[in-house]
Amino acid sequence: MATANLFSPPDTIVRAPFVNEAFVDFSNGDNRRAMEAALTEVRNQLGLEYGMVIGGKRLRTEEKIISKNPARPDQVVGVHQRAGVEHAAVAMEAAQKAFASWSRVPVQERAALLFKAADMIRERKFEFCAWLTYEVGKNWAEADADVGETIDFLEFYGREALRLDRAETPIQFPGERNQLRYIPLGVGAVIPPWNFPFAIMAGMTVAAIVCGNTVILKPSVDASTIAARFFNLMQEAGLPDGVVNFCPGEGPDFGAAVVAHPQTRFVAFTGSKAVGLEIHEQAAKTKPGQIFIKRTILEMGGKDSILVESDCDLDAAVEGVAASAFGFNGQKCSACSRVIVDASIYDSFCDRLVERVRKIKVGDPVENFAAGPVISEKAYRRVLEYIEIGKGEGRVLIGGEAMETESNGYYIAPTVIADVAPAARIAQEEIFGPVLAVIKSKGFDEALKIANNTEYGLTGAIYSKSRTKLERAREEFHVGNLYLNRKCTGAMVGAHPFGGFNMSGTDSKAGGPDYLLLFTQAKSVAEKVGVAAEAEDEPMGI
Ligand code: NAD
């Protein structure tokens, strides 16, 4: 694959058609050894302090954010600055200054920066996997999927920006040259969650900057190290000062201050429903001096269902439900947290699911156990509270408790709770941990009704061999990402543009052909050409 150098002339960009980054095969000895070496190397760098970087200047604050390994809370992964409310204006000034030049940089050069960063991450893949393992507790394959998705976003959005640049108006009006240009919006706030701390953080950031915007990036307090390392890599790749302003900070103070700033043109947020709605509300309040309507791109929570029909391949359904519910300990917005099972196969499905879940080994992700800890003490307490609620709302088939370890990691046993009513709290509220509710359905109509009975609408899946049921699900199962006869997690950039309905967000479809439009505004330009036409020949209308 040929790679353009950053700031090379536009016509030298040659990039092969997009393909998703291949997953690493960790059963291969070389790959295993490479991962082990990376884990050792990264362990030697744990506890380093990182700067806050505004307009290219590294700043220190008195108060710090300490990022810890959830598998060993005594182990500090990174020490970060803590941006305060007062830093919002400083970061905005730097981002606005950079916008004046960055917005005029040819899109080919901006795309070349993304391609160069993709190449650099590819070369250092195991190192980034190791950081994810230490900072958020991903096992090796989950960490690799996060790194692969990051590379995919860089590659995909680079190409998408080049495609947008070639956009044309659908019609050329006689006597005119008509043009449609997608120009940047201005300065944006990028506010990612901790659970895909590389892919979502980097994806939202590079989508914004490749379109010519500049950003204030506020990573999650639980995953600031991976963001700091990404920022450093972007600087190495040639990112000009002020295009991304790296500001670790707390959401409710620094994050909220950036959202409220009158010059914040847009907010790209991924996180919980509660915070997304708060941002939506705050961004809608026009401040003195604000001359635009802020745009919000909000991707929020989920309460995702899998329907298991009597005519399905039961082995595939059991495997798909277990992977969707317990992959990364259920800490994916796309995770299956409700399985809706036809009454005629309910008991046998439950038995087989329990056998499958029993095989999930829980332990330190550094040693590549399938299931690791939940992210923090706060999450640990929340999930255990939901398990207690679940004990009153159903029958615990397996799990249902915390797991003690010498390292004091935040481990919770994969938990399946059966006989849960569709309106029960554990069937309605996002738990974001290794807890699955099993709901019995009588007939396909009822199953579909239950699937659609939450306020969310992110992902969903159905296992069935009936073409009629699959087609009805295609029409009636109201989710942004629907999967037929496969698990409901694991969206691939380009193939499964990702985003949800209803309280799951604004359906922005990350990794899809419409995503970059959200970071641009279209300008239509008509130029009269040829001999000046008579006034009455000019178009009428708006
Ligand atoms: P969160 O909402 O607690 O935090 C997300 C980000 O918002 C963090 O950076 C946080 O510091 C910041 N924040 C918090 N309060 C803020 C405020 N008042 N103003 C501005 N920023 C603020 O979410 P989380 O725990 O980091 O992530 C888990 C959530 O993210 C789950 O609900 C999950 O479903 C969701 N998620 C959704 C998607 C998706 O694509 N729909 C993807 C991943 C995660």
Side-chain angles (χ1 to χ4, degrees):
M1 194 182 280
T3 310
N5 290 323
L6 184 58
F7 307 131
S8 57
D11 59 0
T12 62
I13 292 227
V14 182
R15 208 71 180 170
F18 174 84
V19 284
N20 293 112
E21 184 68 10
F23 293 121
V24 172
D25 174 6
F26 287 108
S27 67
N28 172 302
D30 288 344
N31 290 336
R32 227 175 26 247
R33 282 186 286 281
M35 183 66 188
E36 282 161 359
L39 285 162
T40 304
E41 199 178 304
V42 165
R43 194 177 57 225
N44 294 332
Q45 299 174 60
L46 295 181
L48 291 178
E49 183 165 340
Y50 299 83
M52 167 162 74
V53 186
I54 296 181
K57 291 199 185 74
R58 279 183 192 266
L59 309 175
R60 308 238 158 218
T61 57
E62 214 152 280
E63 284 191 53
K64 308 289 178 194
I65 287 169
I66 311 290
S67 169
K68 294 177 183 161
N69 177 354
R72 300 175 180 277
D74 292 340
Q75 192 170 52
V76 174
V77 174
V79 177
H80 299 274
Q81 314 311 310
R82 185 187 291 264
V85 170
E86 68 279 12
H87 291 105
V90 185
M92 176 57 69
E93 203 183 325
Q96 281 194 311
K97 188 164 168 242
F99 182 74
S101 49
W102 181 247
S103 57
R104 300 297 179 92
V105 168
V107 66
Q108 290 79 4
E109 293 186 27
R110 300 195 302 249
L113 172 67
L114 271 59
F115 296 146
K116 188 167 178 190
D119 287 340
M120 289 167 69
I121 295 170
R122 203 177 273 118
E123 276 167 28
R124 293 164 54 184
K125 195 182 258 192
F126 293 105
E127 176 198 324
F128 279 104
C129 285
W131 281 107
L132 287 162
T133 297
Y134 281 112
E135 190 163 43
V136 296
K138 295 207 172 198
N139 69 26
W140 300 5
E142 292 287 356
D144 173 51
D146 198 332
V147 176
E149 192 173 346
T150 308
I151 295 170
D152 282 354
F153 278 142
L154 286 157
E155 295 279 3
F156 189 77
Y157 294 146
R159 287 167 176 78
E160 283 294 292
L162 296 172
R163 183 176 68 82
L164 265 195
D165 187 54
R166 295 191 299 268
E168 290 182 354
T169 54
I171 299 290
Q172 288 293 319
F173 194 77
E176 291 183 357
R177 190 168 75 81
N178 301 121
Q179 198 192 11
L180 196 58
R181 305 175 64 210
Y182 290 93
I183 66 170
L185 293 166
V187 177
V190 174
I191 307 181
W194 61 266
N195 73 323
F196 275 83
F198 200 17
I200 294 180
M201 177 274 306
M204 293 197 296
T205 304
V206 302
I209 67 170
V210 79
C211 295
N213 304 289
T214 56
V215 303
I216 299 169
L217 167 61
K218 190 216 80 63
S220 163
V221 288
D222 291 318
S224 298
T225 312
I226 189 80
R229 302 202 72 94
F230 167 70
F231 176 79
N232 290 349
L233 179 134
M234 289 297 284
Q235 281 198 314
E236 275 176 52
L239 179 78
D241 291 346
V243 172
V244 176
N245 297 281
F246 177 69
C247 302
E250 298 283 350
D253 48 34
F254 178 73
V258 177
V259 169
H261 195 287
Q263 304 307 327
T264 296
R265 179 65 182 81
F266 67 96
V267 182
F269 164 83
T270 307
S272 62
K273 180 191 94 175
V275 175
L277 291 181
E278 169 73 15
I279 289 175
H280 183 57
E281 188 179 335
Q282 293 308 323
K285 292 182 181 156
T286 312
K287 297 280 177 344
Q290 183 182 327
I291 60 160
F292 42 67
I293 301 167
K294 293 183 187 182
R295 191 179 291 179
T296 52
I297 302 154
L298 307 170
E299 289 310 309
M300 301 160 19
K303 192 72 197 171
D304 310 308
S305 307
I306 295 185
L307 304 192
V308 179
E309 286 299 298
S310 56
D311 52 24
C312 74
D313 172 340
L314 205 53
D315 290 339
V318 168
E319 199 53 43
V321 168
S324 306
F326 300 110
F328 192 34
N329 319 312
Q331 300 176 114
K332 298 183 185 182
C333 55
S334 55
C336 170
S337 54
R338 317 163 2 122
V339 57
I340 301 161
V341 186
D342 190 77
S344 63
I345 54 162
Y346 186 82
D347 291 338
S348 59
F349 175 83
C350 286
D351 291 346
R352 291 176 67 173
L353 183 65
V354 167
E355 284 322 302
R356 177 64 188 83
V357 173
R358 207 184 299 286
K359 291 188 189 138
I360 298 174
K361 297 267 180 289
V362 182
D364 194 333
V366 167
E367 290 165 41
N368 203 19
F369 278 87
V374 297
I375 185 68
S376 63
E377 190 177 346
K378 194 170 148 206
Y380 178 78
R381 290 190 193 289
R382 186 193 63 238
V383 175
L384 289 176
E385 266 173 40
Y386 269 112
I387 288 177
E388 286 313 306
I389 293 167
K391 285 176 182 169
E393 292 185 329
R395 177 168 55 100
V396 174
L397 296 183
I398 189 167
E401 63 203 358
M403 296 173 77
E404 304 289 324
T405 58
E406 273 177 23
S407 61
N408 295 322
Y410 305 124
Y411 292 99
I412 295 174
T415 298
V416 180
I417 303 178
D419 307 345
V420 176
R425 284 188 65 191
I426 65 158
Q428 291 291 328
E429 296 172 20
E430 188 181 46
I431 300 172
F432 219 59
V435 183
L436 174 67
V438 190
I439 302 172
K440 191 187 281 186
S441 60
K442 293 193 195 76
F444 189 57
D445 284 339
E446 188 184 272
L448 264 180
K449 207 167 142 199
I450 297 170
N452 286 332
N453 82 349
T454 78
E455 60 180 347
Y456 294 104
L458 189 44
T459 75
I462 169 172
Y463 283 88
S464 169
K465 287 183 187 150
S466 155
R467 180 46 49 193
T468 311
K469 287 179 186 171
L470 296 179
E471 292 310 317
R472 275 195 62 195
R474 198 188 292 272
E475 295 299 322
E476 297 174 39
F477 198 157
H478 195 58
V479 290
N481 285 71
L482 178 67
Y483 301 99
L484 310 180
N485 287 315
R486 61 148 274 185
K487 62 179 184 167
C488 66
T489 52
M492 299 299 292
V493 171
H496 314 125
F498 193 80
F501 299 159
N502 296 345
M503 284 298 172
S504 290
T506 49
D507 192 36
S508 66
K509 290 294 184 266
D514 310 320
Y515 192 65
L516 291 194
L517 297 177
L518 299 168
F519 297 86
T520 63
Q521 49 197 341
K523 182 171 182 177
S524 168
V525 183
E527 182 179 354
K528 197 101 177 162
V529 291
V531 182
E534 297 296 317
E536 55 267 32
D537 289 332
E538 293 194 350
M540 307 293 284
I542 212 166

